[in-house]
Amino acid sequence: MFEVGENADGILAGVLFLIWLSAAILATRLAWRPTPEALRKSARRLLRLLVAALVVLVVKCVAIGLMLAVDWIFADNRVIVQMPLLLLPMLAVAVWTVPGLRALANRDDAPVDVETRSAAANPRFVVPVQVTAVATVVGVYFAYVSRPVPSYLDDIATHAAPILLSVLVLWFWQGRRLRVVTATDFARRGRRASALRATAQAAVVVLVVAAGITYVAQSSRLPDRMTMTSHDNVDYGGGPSIGHGGHGGISVDDLRGPQTGKPNKAFTLTAKNATVRLSSGAEIKALTYNGQSPGPELRVREGDLVEVTLHNEIPDENVTIHWHGLDVPNGEDGVAGATQNAVEPGGSFTYRFLAEQVGTFWYHTHQNPLEAIRRGLFGALIVEPRDGPPPGERDFVVQAHEWRTPDDNIVSFGTSDTLQRQEVAPGTPVRLRLINTDNNPSTDSRPRALTVNGTPVRVAAIDGVDVNGPTPLTNPRFGLATGGRYDVTFTMPAGPVRLTDLANRDGGLVLAPPADASTPKIVDDGDHFDPLSYGSGGSRPFDAGSSYDRSFTQLLDDRLSFYNGGLHLVPIINGHSFPDTPTLMVRMDDLVKVRIVNRSHQNHPMHLHGHHALVLSRNGVRATGSPWWIDSLDVIPGEIYEIGFKADNPGLWMDHCHNLDHAANGMVMHLAYEGVTSPYELGRGTPNQPE
Ligand code: C2O
Ligand code: CU
């Protein structure tokens, strides 16, 4: 409903503009109509336009109503900023223009005299229509470019200013025209619009607009060097103000994992160029860890001290490793320009951390990730329980990815873009570890949809946290947020089971009993799996009713504007793109609530580093069932999520959209703990491009 309202509202802004533009032109020319007939006709046409405008306005109110019906916050900016600026000039039209216009429309055939002409050229009669046309231009700007956020005072000023200015200018201009109309020699004054003058005027307008656009594009370029927190847009979430550094400050470099002790598991990952061959034979010029993509599966046990040494042998690309979903100490988080310098060609970096969470995670570079993850710098990270996996369990790691070749997008599981078969004996406990390693959710306003056919399944874990009391699901559709993971379990039945990514129906994974060559049919009309009410039991350390030390609101909008020199549909958080997005400031041990409101046209899989957050509610409906802990949460247009987390992992943490196109266009913010600073910089002039 939000999307319908939002889309309609945008289109109607354009329609209103066209109607009022025509009305303004008609009104401006009315006094120049030569014959009584022409004057009457124009007046009537103008009246009809005004009626049409009224109808469109009513439809617009309905569209806004649709958004308000979801929640006040989806259209409060229209009610507060936009509508008054549209309604006031329209009211002036009703009061000052319409009565005179009706008189003109019903005029008899008497010749058009000075009196009539001066009535039709009177500023009080014409200017309201012209100003309303200006207001609709501001309305179009509102709908596509400016996305006002609270407190709205600035926004009211910036939107009202051009309208007020236009009143002055048009009143003055129309006053001059009035004198022309009433001059005694009016009949002899023809239109002296010379073609040359018109061309010159047009050229000046084009030049000014072009210069303006160039200036805006240039000034949107990001600085060559900046730090994650080099702006002063900070948000304390209603809690006490706190600072980044200062006395007693601590650097992210001091927040490393255990530096001593013999690791239980040590891995070496060497980033290098390699050609990866998919099961269909397609070849990908990939960026890899150890020459393979997905990179080597890192499988460790709960409590292990893990050491990973990264070497970079890619000649023209810096790399890092970020442990997506594993809440490691901040200095091990692998974010170029925040927690380390990206590893340059020939360089190395060693990560050390304790594997304290059990479940399915993944790792990927956090340097130029849009390109580099897509091209292969990622792999699975599995933490098994301390006492080992359930006896007899077979687990299959499935990395849903989309490879790009010069002429194709290839949807696959790891390197399998064709149907794969595995033998599994009936009665075997099976765990499918589904990981969405792709940049982008699927297109149907849902994240990537995977389905399992052939047997009912349970979702045993989400984002590396076990689900309590999972119930069986038949032919479910799993919308997996970008970066998100579901562990799906079942006991192998007597027949085959099929896992499919609905974006590639010729691919997938079939698990079948020995000597069974059959393949289950894809059933794609199952219910979307919804974790909000799934499972039962388990305890919540806090919920929607708890009292929070800090409460933040993230308003996700998008607007047509320049970012870093290019024109994009730029996703914004609270009216800003990185680096101007507000930093969420917290103190150790704060209980924090974040309300995420998606007012944009696209899904935003939001990912907070270093923490797992508990989903409290969605669109006002409290989460029930098993506690739903997330590190990656897909928020679709029109949704409001409330999540809560305990600030228990000090550092400077990224909080960004994992649709990496969006992140690259500035949909990035940070969670900063009091007193934590980073010595690292990012930007063109540094080795670090974390997005
Ligand atoms: Cu999967 Cu900021 O990352
Ligand atoms: Cu996004």
Side-chain angles (χ1 to χ4, degrees):
M1 211 151 66
F2 159 76
E3 266 192 296
V4 174
E6 161 81 23
N7 289 334
D9 188 64
I11 296 166
L12 293 172
V15 175
L16 272 180
F17 163 67
L18 291 177
I19 293 178
W20 281 99
L21 180 68
S22 321
I25 292 171
L26 261 182
T28 308
R29 290 184 171 169
L30 215 51
W32 270 259
R33 296 287 93 181
T35 65
E37 246 236 291
L39 178 59
R40 213 162 38 225
K41 246 175 86 181
S42 288
R44 288 186 180 162
R45 192 180 306 155
L46 182 50
L47 267 179
R48 282 197 297 273
L49 275 176
L50 296 186
V51 172
L54 197 62
V55 172
V56 174
L57 187 74
V58 170
V59 181
K60 188 177 166 67
C61 289
V62 173
I64 293 173
L66 285 181
M67 289 184 269
L68 289 176
V70 183
D71 195 285
W72 163 252
I73 200 160
F74 284 106
D76 61 345
N77 52 13
R78 284 162 179 91
V79 178
I80 295 169
V81 183
Q82 186 191 33
M83 288 311 268
L85 295 178
L86 210 50
L87 290 177
L88 278 175
M90 287 181 77
L91 194 68
V93 172
V95 175
W96 287 319
T97 310
V98 171
L101 192 57
R102 290 181 57 180
L104 291 176
N106 296 322
R107 207 172 163 280
D108 57 20
D109 276 334
V112 185
D113 54 4
V114 173
E115 214 169 299
T116 309
R117 273 203 305 272
S118 61
N122 191 321
R124 216 175 62 170
F125 174 78
V126 183
V127 171
V129 183
Q130 297 165 333
V131 169
T132 309
V134 173
T136 62
V137 176
V138 173
V140 170
Y141 173 76
F142 180 101
Y144 295 100
V145 185
S146 89
R147 307 316 303 250
V149 293
S151 65
Y152 296 129
L153 288 178
D154 294 5
D155 296 297
I156 292 174
T158 51
H159 287 74
I163 299 176
L164 290 175
L165 190 68
S166 77
V167 174
L168 293 178
V169 172
L170 290 166
W171 203 278
F172 174 75
W173 182 65
Q174 194 60 35
R176 284 182 46 183
R177 290 170 61 90
L178 176 62
R179 283 197 293 282
V180 172
V181 167
T182 51
T184 42
D185 59 346
F186 170 70
R188 271 178 284 121
R189 288 203 198 183
R191 280 225 194 101
R192 273 184 254 128
S194 95
L196 200 65
R197 198 170 133 192
T199 316
Q201 281 172 347
V204 168
V205 170
V206 168
L207 274 176
V208 168
V209 170
I213 290 177
T214 314
Y215 173 77
V216 172
Q218 279 304 321
S219 57
S220 80
R221 285 178 67 82
L222 297 178
D224 282 345
R225 314 181 77 88
M226 52 187 156
T227 66
M228 286 290 178
T229 52
S230 58
H231 60 82
D232 32 76
N233 189 4
V234 287
D235 190 345
Y236 300 111
S241 341
I242 41 186
H244 277 304
H247 240 45
I250 180 169
S251 159
V252 297
D253 280 342
D254 300 326
L255 297 167
R256 299 294 303 266
Q259 293 304 296
T260 55
K262 190 173 169 307
N264 305 81
K265 294 268 170 44
F267 303 94
T268 300
L269 295 179
T270 303
K272 46 175 90 166
N273 283 317
T275 299
V276 167
R277 178 179 275 272
L278 306 186
S279 61
S280 63
E283 291 191 337
I284 310 290
K285 296 250 161 295
L287 302 177
T288 70
Y289 293 112
N290 293 3
Q292 63 185 89
S293 182
E297 180 182 301
L298 309 184
R299 198 172 271 261
V300 304
R301 283 272 165 98
E302 180 185 9
D304 277 354
L305 174 58
V306 181
E307 181 179 289
V308 180
T309 307
L310 167 66
H311 299 296
N312 184 9
E313 291 179 3
I314 303 175
D316 51 1
E317 181 86 40
N318 299 348
V319 297
T320 70
I321 306 177
H322 165 61
W323 316 98
H324 185 121
L326 210 63
D327 302 328
V328 297
N330 189 232
E332 310 291 340
D333 200 42
V335 179
T339 64
Q340 66 173 99
N341 278 322
V343 179
E344 299 187 57
S348 304
F349 191 94
T350 302
Y351 299 91
R352 286 169 68 98
F353 52 83
L354 287 170
E356 287 169 321
Q357 297 148 270
V358 173
T360 306
F361 306 91
W362 64 301
Y363 62 89
H364 61 75
T365 186
H366 222 302
Q367 161 75 10
N368 183 21
L370 169 62
E371 263 300 294
I373 299 177
R374 183 177 281 171
R375 292 184 60 194
L377 283 175
F378 66 90
L381 169 62
I382 310 298
V383 185
E384 293 179 342
R386 199 177 298 272
D387 306 320
E393 182 179 89
R394 289 193 57 189
D395 89 33
F396 298 88
V397 175
V398 175
Q399 296 172 76
H401 199 72
E402 193 166 335
W403 301 98
R404 318 284 150 123
T405 66
D407 32 47
D408 222 353
N409 289 357
I410 306 175
V411 172
S412 57
F413 291 156
T415 55
S416 305
D417 55 338
T418 56
L419 195 65
Q420 305 297 307
R421 299 187 74 90
Q422 294 274 350
E423 257 182 25
V424 178
T428 308
V430 176
R431 177 180 295 256
L432 302 175
R433 298 179 183 272
L434 311 181
I435 310 174
N436 186 352
T437 61
D438 196 23
N439 279 347
N440 214 329
S442 75
T443 46
D444 67 340
S445 110
R446 278 280 165 188
R448 198 158 184 139
L450 307 180
T451 182
V452 183
N453 307 128
T455 187
V457 298
R458 295 168 203 264
V459 177
I462 297 174
D463 284 3
V465 182
D466 281 352
V467 171
N468 292 292
T471 48
L473 307 160
T474 305
N475 299 321
R477 284 176 69 155
F478 293 116
L480 198 48
T482 296
R485 289 90 58 213
Y486 288 160
D487 282 20
V488 170
T489 58
F490 57 90
T491 302
M492 188 65 195
V497 176
R498 175 178 191 163
L499 169 72
T500 314
D501 184 328
L502 292 173
N504 176 9
R505 289 159 183 264
D506 301 324
L509 174 65
V510 174
L511 305 181
D516 186 334
S518 66
T519 301
K521 266 221 321 281
I522 297 173
V523 183
D524 63 2
D525 57 359
D527 289 336
H528 274 285
F529 168 63
D530 184 2
L532 194 71
S533 56
Y534 185 68
S536 58
S539 69
R540 290 178 165 76
F542 43 85
D543 64 18
S546 305
S547 93
Y548 290 83
D549 299 302
R550 295 174 196 273
S551 301
F552 299 97
T553 295
Q554 301 180 335
L555 291 172
L556 315 182
D557 284 295
D558 43 25
R559 68 170 174 217
L560 203 59
S561 68
F562 286 92
Y563 186 69
N564 203 8
L567 185 65
H568 308 273
L569 189 64
V570 178
I572 47 178
I573 303 174
N574 291 354
H576 297 285
S577 311
F578 182 78
D580 300 320
T581 42
T583 298
L584 312 183
M585 298 294 302
V586 298
R587 232 177 220 164
M588 186 67 180
D589 292 328
D590 277 348
L591 191 58
V592 182
K593 178 152 91 175
V594 182
R595 184 167 63 137
I596 310 171
V597 183
N598 189 345
R599 307 197 299 193
S600 78
H601 296 88
Q602 305 171 76
N603 291 25
H604 299 297
M606 300 305 290
H607 170 51
L608 169 64
H609 287 209
H611 301 75
H612 271 71
L614 181 62
V615 174
L616 309 174
S617 72
R618 182 178 63 214
N619 288 8
V621 179
R622 278 199 188 206
T624 53
S626 169
W628 177 18
W629 291 93
I630 49 105
D631 57 59
S632 309
L633 178 67
D634 204 59
V635 185
I636 70 175
E639 278 185 344
I640 303 175
Y641 273 100
E642 282 185 318
I643 62 175
F645 65 89
K646 182 91 184 157
D648 57 2
N649 195 3
L652 195 55
W653 300 99
M654 280 236 166
D655 183 4
H656 63 98
C657 179
H658 219 283
N659 176 336
L660 297 172
D661 288 288
H662 295 178
N665 279 330
M667 201 166 206
V668 173
M669 58 196 302
H670 294 88
L671 172 74
Y673 280 65
E674 176 179 34
V676 178
T677 56
S678 168
Y680 304 107
E681 291 183 308
L682 60 145
R684 273 183 304 274
T686 75
N688 304 317
Q689 286 80 38
E691 302 299 340

